[in-house]
């Protein structure tokens, strides 16, 4: 079905990005998957081509375009399965913090580099003992003259090995009541003494993406690196989560489409009992059902994309889309794998990777259970 949220300019941009993705990104995916990370040269190429600043302000080198341009990048990255290259983490999850809360000095020092690709961004919220319960982070940033002294540990941080600027969630007032009032966001440059990268964690899927431990040991961060005001960190995080979760939903539906398209091709080729397996009613019904789910999901996501571009508060609906599309992605990957038979279990077949990559979608950016907690609260079901 023709999607009606994109203009002719968007379509041209898609063609341009697709050409770049197929010629410059796709040939590298296997290497990224085996090395467990992407490389700075690719980030700089993305910057040179303008793909790290489509939605960034013009005065810092961006194109000031609408969010749909970045949604196109997300869809095309998912289409070629370049999940290791987390452009949306950089463009749409981290960079907006610099744009929304950064001082002029911080923008000059970091935002311009994020747009050229010299500066690779990460955000460090999760800790070994604290994930969903973000207000309970234990990393401390205690003021000492014109510095904060940061101590603590983070884990599961995407881009953790390659980032040179990390937005760190830390307690600047550990005694604040309620605790979330004591949280601030600090910009930690990777060459700061006391900042250390731990292991690049081995994982089930997203093989080309570095997911790491980070450690802070008496790491002295200048006060001018606080993002916005001290104590505002939790509020800032909540303000940015709508977009983060929408990104996941956009990529999920695009991944569903890719799994489905490949499986439709496969069942037409593969033969059993003297006919293509596409001829069995089970195959037809399964794929018809999945195609219907994907169309419904796409319609919902497109509606949310349009509302997000208009600047509407759609936190409830985006939370719905995040859990629904990521659950769908897991279902599509599992059903499509089954239709591949034994080949579906072989890593030579992309559907096996789709199955592994889908698993994390319901976990990060707020687990799907947390999405339901948010929705229930917004439906007035929270008794507290
Ligand atoms: C590949 C990958 C990349 C990641 N990238 C980043 C990153 O870049 N930056 C970052 O900061 N973090 C990142 N994360 C961490 C991710 O955001 C957390 O794993 C996630 O928020 C869940 O936290 P947790 O793992 O501590 O699980 P927990 O919070 O311990 O949750 C465990 C289970 O309990 C459930 N649960 C918890 N609280 C409730 C509740 N109130 N009601 C019902 N159920 C509940 C959860 O839904 C889950 O099923 C990444 C994780 C992965 C796997």
């Amino acid at each position: 079905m023709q999607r009606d949220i994109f203009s002719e300019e968007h379509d041209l941009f898609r063609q341009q990005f697709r050409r770049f993705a197929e010629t410059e990104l796709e040939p590298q995916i296997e290497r990224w998957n085996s090395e467990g990370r992407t490389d700075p040269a690719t980030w700089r190429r993305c910057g040179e081509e303008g793909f790290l600043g489509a939605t960034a302000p013009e005065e810092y080198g961006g194109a000031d375009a609408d969010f749909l341009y970045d949604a196109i990048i997300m869809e095309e990255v998912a289409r070629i399965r370049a999940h290791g290259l987390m452009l949306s983490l950089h463009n749409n999850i981290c960079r907006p913090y610099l744009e929304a809360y950064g001082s002029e000095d911080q923008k000059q020092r970091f935002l311009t580099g994020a747009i050229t690709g010299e500066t690779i961004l990460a955000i460090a919220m999760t800790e070994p003992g604290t994930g969903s319960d973000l207000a309970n982070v234990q990393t401390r940033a205690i003021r000492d003259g014109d510095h904060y002294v940061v101590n603590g540990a983070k884990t599961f941080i995407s881009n953790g090995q390659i980032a040179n600027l990390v937005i760190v969630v830390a307690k600047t007032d550990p005694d604040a009541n309620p605790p979330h009032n004591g949280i601030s966001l600090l910009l930690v440059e990777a060459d700061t003494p006391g900042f250390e990268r731990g292991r690049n964690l081995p994982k089930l899927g997203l093989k080309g993406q570095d997911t790491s431990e980070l450690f802070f040991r008496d790491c002295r961060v200048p006060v001018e690196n606080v993002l916005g005001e001290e104590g505002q960190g939790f509020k800032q995080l909540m303000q940015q989560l709508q977009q983060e979760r929408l990104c996941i939903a956009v990529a999920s539906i695009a991944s569903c489409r890719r799994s489905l398209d490949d499986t439709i091709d496969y069942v037409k080729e593969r033969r059993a009992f003297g006919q293509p397996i596409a001829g069995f009613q089970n195959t037809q019904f399964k794929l018809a059902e999945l195609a219907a789910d994907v169309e419904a999901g796409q319609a919902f996501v497109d509606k949310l994309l349009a509302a997000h571009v208009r600047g509407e508060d759609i936190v409830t609906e985006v939370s719905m889309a995040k859990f629904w599309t990521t659950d769908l992605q897991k279902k599509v990957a599992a059903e499509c794998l089954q239709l591949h038979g034994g080949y579906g279990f072989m890593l030579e077949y992309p559907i096996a990777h789709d199955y592994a990559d889908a698993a994390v979608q319901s976990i990060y950016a707020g687990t799907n259970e947390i999405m339901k907690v948010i929705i229930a609260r917004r439906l007035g079901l929270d008794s507290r």
Side-chain angles (χ1 to χ4, degrees):
M1 202 165 70
Q2 183 71 31
R3 297 170 65 192
D4 59 9
I5 55 170
F6 298 116
S7 66
E8 226 169 276
E9 285 74 30
H10 290 121
D11 293 340
L12 288 171
F13 179 80
R14 186 186 294 278
Q15 283 171 23
Q16 183 197 348
F17 184 78
R18 186 173 288 187
R19 248 190 327 270
F20 172 76
E22 288 178 350
T23 53
E24 298 206 31
L25 305 182
E26 204 166 9
Q28 304 198 72
I29 294 174
E30 216 172 293
R31 181 172 54 81
W32 292 336
N33 287 350
S34 68
E35 292 176 358
R37 69 182 72 196
T38 55
D39 52 85
T42 302
W43 285 87
R44 285 195 298 272
R45 275 295 295 136
C46 290
E48 276 165 24
E49 293 293 324
F51 299 132
L52 301 182
T55 51
E58 264 177 26
E59 53 196 302
Y60 302 100
D64 227 347
D66 66 52
F67 182 72
L68 296 180
Y69 286 87
D70 277 347
I72 288 169
I73 293 179
M74 289 167 222
E75 290 178 352
E76 293 299 316
V77 165
R79 195 182 78 87
I80 61 163
R81 301 184 168 95
H83 306 297
L85 188 68
M86 286 208 135
L87 294 181
S88 72
L89 171 75
H90 179 93
N91 284 340
N92 311 111
I93 296 170
C94 297
R95 209 192 64 217
Y97 285 94
L98 296 173
E99 292 168 13
Y101 315 113
S103 63
E104 188 51 37
D105 167 63
Q106 289 168 348
K107 287 178 181 167
Q108 293 297 343
R109 283 193 292 148
F110 305 125
L111 182 54
T112 47
I115 293 167
T116 61
E118 294 298 320
T119 303
I120 302 174
L121 304 173
I123 184 160
M125 306 181 232
T126 309
E127 302 181 348
T130 313
S132 304
D133 184 11
L134 199 52
N136 195 31
V137 288
Q138 297 299 308
T139 298
R140 302 276 194 266
I142 304 302
R143 181 92 184 237
D144 178 27
D146 53 4
H147 284 77
Y148 287 94
V149 182
V150 184
N151 279 288
K154 298 286 179 181
T155 194
F156 306 149
I157 306 308
S158 305
N159 282 355
Q161 296 290 317
I162 61 169
N164 36 23
L165 186 72
V166 184
I167 303 167
V168 177
V169 178
K171 285 261 171 78
T172 42
D173 179 3
D175 300 322
N177 189 12
H180 65 252
N181 283 346
I183 291 179
S184 303
L185 305 184
L186 280 83
L187 297 170
V188 179
E189 294 160 85
D191 57 3
T192 313
F195 170 79
E196 285 168 37
R197 305 182 205 270
R199 289 175 302 153
N200 186 5
L201 299 161
K203 51 192 189 301
L204 175 67
L206 299 189
K207 297 286 189 190
Q209 187 242 71
D210 50 316
T211 308
S212 301
E213 300 168 323
L214 300 178
F215 300 104
F216 305 87
R217 296 192 177 97
D218 291 331
C219 177
R220 293 181 73 82
V221 178
V223 288
E224 58 266 23
N225 278 22
V226 169
L227 204 44
E229 278 176 49
E230 188 185 304
Q232 293 298 302
F234 196 78
K235 200 167 137 202
Q236 293 163 338
L237 289 163
M238 295 304 116
Q239 283 167 351
Q240 297 301 323
L241 285 175
Q242 170 167 309
Q243 180 156 302
E244 174 171 356
R245 286 159 187 170
L246 181 55
C247 292
I248 304 283
V250 168
S252 270
I253 289 293
S255 291
C256 287
R257 274 195 191 285
R258 185 63 206 249
S259 300
L260 199 57
D261 288 349
D262 286 1
T263 305
I264 290 169
D265 289 344
Y266 181 82
V267 298
K268 288 181 190 161
E269 292 295 322
R270 178 72 178 170
R271 297 178 69 84
F273 298 94
Q275 62 166 5
I277 58 170
F280 299 123
Q281 195 180 53
N282 176 65
T283 309
Q284 296 167 359
F285 281 13
K286 279 273 183 270
L287 290 172
E289 285 164 16
L290 295 177
D293 283 344
V294 173
E295 284 304 326
Q298 187 75 76
F300 187 28
V301 166
D302 283 358
K303 197 167 156 54
L304 296 179
L305 278 170
H308 186 66
V309 169
R310 290 194 298 271
E312 292 175 23
D313 175 348
I314 46 168
V315 168
T316 311
E317 292 79 5
V318 163
S319 307
M320 291 172 181
K322 197 270 176 183
F323 91 72
W324 194 87
T325 58
T326 56
D327 282 349
L328 176 65
Q329 186 183 347
K330 291 199 284 190
K331 178 174 149 192
V332 168
E335 299 277 21
C336 288
L337 186 152
Q338 181 70 15
L339 287 170
H340 279 70
Y343 292 103
F345 197 64
M346 300 297 134
L347 288 174
E348 286 164 54
Y349 280 75
I351 194 66
H353 294 269
D354 291 352
Y355 182 79
D357 293 339
V360 74
Q361 296 284 78
S362 57
I363 295 172
Y364 58 15
T367 66
N368 282 9
E369 291 74 28
I370 294 297
M371 294 305 104
K372 291 171 196 175
V373 170
I374 294 169
I375 297 163
R377 200 174 288 151
R378 286 186 158 236
L379 292 175
L381 300 174
D382 190 351
S383 56
R384 279 175 295 166

